[in-house]
């Protein structure tokens, strides 16, 4: 990662350049701040812009363009940041549980991160609403987090499952992968009518207070200590203003439902 991107990334997260060795406390702070500062969003899919899994481009999208992305982009960029800070990071492939946990999605459905310190940690800023802080990868007991109770359990064939509040979230392989390995999964999610990412634009992030703000199509949803509030935005101008105000995203047109042509 280029020096200016490292400095810009840390500034975006509001984190000072660390002076000591990488540790678990800084990792937790980086994940919390990333979830609040960088939105989970699929807007490029609905703007007709193909997404390429090239590390420099993923980082530039976050740092220079002040955008977010879906799992491959967010965890790809976050993993690059962690490596630039001296962390030992591996990309892991996962399949998301669907149908209430009855089945899993396609191979390379999701990308998550394994960070090795004195102990291994599962870090993830690309699953939408998920644990605010990394989870101990080697612990099989329940792990309490501000977003609920999580548990990592051994799955079939050497895989590892992540459960949140009692329900299965995703199933990971433990073999380290390269960014390019996720190309087919990213293509499928950008183009397939079966992918939930092609069904409509969504942009969401955690708020500093621990709530969440989401813009799904024309619906703006706020959740927090005072409950859930939903508002239908009246026109394109209001939608573009909401992207600017709540996510720092400046667009010249409203994303529609036309997926890009990805070759």
């Amino acid at each position: 990662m280029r020096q200016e991107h490292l400095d810009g990334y840390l500034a975006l997260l509001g984190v000072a350049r660390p002076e000591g060795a990488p540790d678990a406390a800084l990792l937790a702070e980086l994940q919390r701040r990333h979830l609040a500062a960088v939105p989970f969003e699929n807007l490029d899919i609905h703007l007709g812009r193909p997404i390429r899994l090239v590390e420099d481009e993923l980082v530039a999208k976050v740092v220079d363009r002040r955008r977010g992305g879906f799992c491959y982009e967010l965890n790809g960029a976050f993993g690059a940041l962690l490596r630039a800070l001296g962390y030992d990071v591996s990309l892991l492939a996962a399949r998301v549980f669907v149908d209430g946990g009855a089945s899993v999605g396609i191979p390379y459905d999701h990308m998550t991160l394994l960070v090795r310190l004195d102990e291994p940690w599962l870090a993830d800023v690309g699953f939408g609403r998920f644990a605010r802080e990394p989870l101990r990868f080697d612990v099989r007991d329940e792990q309490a987090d501000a977003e609920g109770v999580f548990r990592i359990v051994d799955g079939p064939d050497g895989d590892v499952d992540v459960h949140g509040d009692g329900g299965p979230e995703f199933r990971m392989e433990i073999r380290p992968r390269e960014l390019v390995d996720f190309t087919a999964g990213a293509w499928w999610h950008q183009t397939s009518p079966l992918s939930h990412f092609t069904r409509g634009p969504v942009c969401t992030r955690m708020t500093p207070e621990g709530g969440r703000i989401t813009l799904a199509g024309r619906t703006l949803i706020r959740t927090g200590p005072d409950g859930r509030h939903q508002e239908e935005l009246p026109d394109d101008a209001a939608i573009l203003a909401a992207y600017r105000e709540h996510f720092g995203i400046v667009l010249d047109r409203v994303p529609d439902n036309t997926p890009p042509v990805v070759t």
Side-chain angles (χ1 to χ4, degrees), residues 38-73:
V38 184
F40 179 92
E41 48 104 335
N42 66 343
L43 304 184
D44 276 352
I45 293 175
H46 299 280
L47 291 167
R49 301 171 181 170
I51 294 164
R52 298 199 323 141
L53 300 187
V54 178
E55 185 175 286
D56 286 348
E57 293 183 19
L58 303 182
V59 172
K61 184 175 181 180
V62 172
V63 176
D64 298 335
R65 295 168 54 196
R66 292 298 194 265
R67 289 284 306 279
F70 57 175
C71 69
Y72 314 105
E73 300 173 280

Side-chain angles (χ1 to χ4, degrees), residues 75-202:
N75 282 327
F78 189 52
L81 171 65
L82 295 177
R83 282 191 292 272
L85 294 174
Y87 287 95
D88 179 2
V89 181
S90 295
L91 309 181
L92 299 186
R95 304 173 76 175
V96 178
F97 281 97
V98 295
D99 301 326
S103 59
V104 291
I106 64 168
Y108 300 98
D109 197 18
H110 177 60
M111 176 200 292
T112 192
L113 303 175
L114 177 62
V115 183
R116 295 179 179 84
L117 293 164
D118 291 336
E119 59 286 310
W121 295 88
L122 177 67
D124 201 311
V125 296
F127 198 68
R129 183 173 181 178
F130 190 61
R132 292 189 202 173
E133 298 190 355
L135 303 172
R136 278 284 298 269
F137 191 78
D138 59 338
V139 170
R140 296 299 180 258
D141 296 327
E142 291 184 342
Q143 301 186 52
D145 181 85
E147 291 292 340
V149 177
F150 293 84
R151 189 177 181 189
I152 295 177
V153 301
D154 294 320
D157 303 316
D159 291 345
V160 177
D161 293 349
V162 179
H163 290 240
D165 280 338
E169 300 277 8
F170 54 83
R171 172 169 292 165
M172 300 171 288
E173 300 176 356
I174 60 173
R175 173 185 172 182
R177 297 292 181 177
E178 301 294 332
L179 189 57
V180 68
D181 294 340
F182 296 86
T183 301
W187 173 85
W188 188 89
H189 276 301
Q190 292 177 77
T191 60
S192 172
L194 300 178
S195 168
H196 57 273
F197 291 115
T198 62
R199 297 175 187 175
V202 65

